[in-house]
Amino acid sequence: MENTLDWNTSVRKDSVFQSTPFEKNIPVLLGLLSVWNVSFLGYPARAILPYSQALEKFAPHIQQVSMESNGKGVSIDGLPLPFETGEVVSNHDELMSNFFAQPDALAYGKTPEQLQKENVSENLIPHKTFSGNRPSLSLLLPELGAYNVGQLLAIYEHRVAVQGFVWGINSFDQWGVELGKVLATQVRKQLHSSRTQGAPLEGFNYSTSTLLKRYLETSSEQKI
C-alpha cells in the first residue's frame, strides 16, 4: 500500500507540473530563473542552503541531478552550445539566523562608502566590499514530512528538466555518466588482474598509467 501511495503521489506531482500555468508553475519558474542566472547573467554557481539537519543529504542529491544532467557542452542535435549550461551547486551548514540574513546580504552587498563610514581600514575595504545584486530564493516548509520532502525533490528535478528544455539539451541522457562507468569498469578489471596475476598496465594514457602504478604500489605496501 505504501508503494502505491508513493507512486500515486509521484504521478500527481508530474501532472501538476504539466498542467499548471507557467506563471504559477514553481519548477518552471525556478528553471527559467536558473537559465537567466547562468546563461544571461553569467553566474556559474548556485548555493543550496537547507537549514535543517534532516536535509543534510538534500543538497548532494540536487548537486548530482543538476550538474550531471545539465552540465552539457552540446545540444540535443550534437552542436556545440554558445552559452553556459548547468550550475555548480554548493552547500553550507549555517544557523537559521543566517538564513534570514542571506537574501539582504546577497541583494544589497556592502559598498566601500558603507565600510568607510564603519571606520574599516583602507587596506581591508577591497576585501570586505561585496557588490550585491545577486539573485536568491528562499523556501520555507511548514513541516519536514515525507510529503514536503517529496514536493521539494519534485520541484528541483522538474526545474532541471525546464532548464534543459530552454537550453535545448537532453538533461537525462547521462552519456557522460555512462562513459565514466565504462571506464571505471576497465580500471577495476585492470586493478584486479594486476594484483592477482601481475598483469601489466595496458590501454590507459601515460598519466593515468602512472597514477595506477603508484596506487598499486602503495596499496600493496599497505596490504589493502
Side-chain angles (χ1 to χ4, degrees):
M1 183 65 176
E2 183 178 352
N3 290 336
T4 302
L5 288 175
D6 289 343
W7 183 83
N8 288 335
T9 300
S10 176
V11 170
R12 286 202 303 273
K13 290 169 188 169
D14 288 339
S15 64
V16 170
F17 171 55
Q18 294 174 352
S19 61
T20 303
F22 282 179
E23 63 271 15
K24 296 182 180 180
N25 195 313
I26 292 178
V28 168
L29 294 174
L30 294 183
L32 292 175
L33 284 172
S34 290
V35 171
W36 178 254
N37 291 335
V38 174
S39 297
F40 291 88
L41 298 185
Y43 295 122
R46 177 178 78 229
I48 295 180
L49 310 171
Y51 291 85
S52 171
Q53 186 64 31
L55 286 175
E56 63 176 335
K57 301 298 183 182
F58 176 69
H61 173 79
I62 300 305
Q63 183 179 44
Q64 182 179 25
V65 72
S66 179
M67 295 175 67
E68 288 190 0
S69 299
N70 281 345
K72 305 291 173 61
V74 296
S75 68
I76 294 176
D77 300 322
L79 301 176
L81 293 171
F83 47 78
E84 296 296 325
T85 69
E87 298 149 302
V88 178
V89 181
S90 312
N91 181 36
H92 302 277
D93 293 325
E94 299 287 351
L95 300 175
M96 279 302 294
S97 58
N98 290 327
F99 167 77
F100 293 106
Q102 289 291 341
D104 280 358
L106 291 168
Y108 300 117
K110 199 80 170 181
T111 66
E113 292 75 18
Q114 290 174 314
L115 294 169
Q116 289 172 349
K117 290 180 180 179
E118 295 174 3
N119 297 319
V120 175
S121 301
E122 287 294 328
N123 63 315
L124 292 179
I125 287 180
H127 302 283
K128 292 191 172 185
T129 298
F130 183 63
S131 60
N133 196 31
R134 297 290 193 271
S136 65
L137 169 72
S138 301
L139 295 177
L140 285 175
L141 300 180
E143 61 178 348
L144 197 59
Y147 182 79
N148 300 105
V149 174
Q151 286 182 311
L152 201 57
L153 292 173
I155 286 172
Y156 275 90
E157 289 175 354
H158 286 135
R159 175 187 192 170
V160 168
V162 171
Q163 291 172 274
F165 297 154
V166 176
W167 281 324
I169 60 178
N170 188 342
S171 300
F172 302 105
D173 59 20
Q174 303 290 315
W175 297 119
V177 177
E178 291 299 322
L179 174 60
K181 292 178 179 178
V182 171
L183 295 177
T185 299
Q186 295 176 358
V187 172
R188 193 177 300 111
K189 290 180 179 178
Q190 178 69 66
L191 291 174
H192 177 73
S193 61
S194 294
R195 282 196 178 116
T196 59
Q197 305 170 21
L201 296 172
E202 296 178 343
F204 303 97
N205 64 59
Y206 176 79
S207 176
T208 302
S209 296
T210 302
L211 290 172
L212 286 172
K213 181 180 179 181
R214 179 57 181 159
Y215 175 73
L216 286 167
E217 292 173 349
T218 303
S219 61
S220 175
E221 293 170 358
Q222 296 178 351
K223 298 182 180 180
I224 294 179

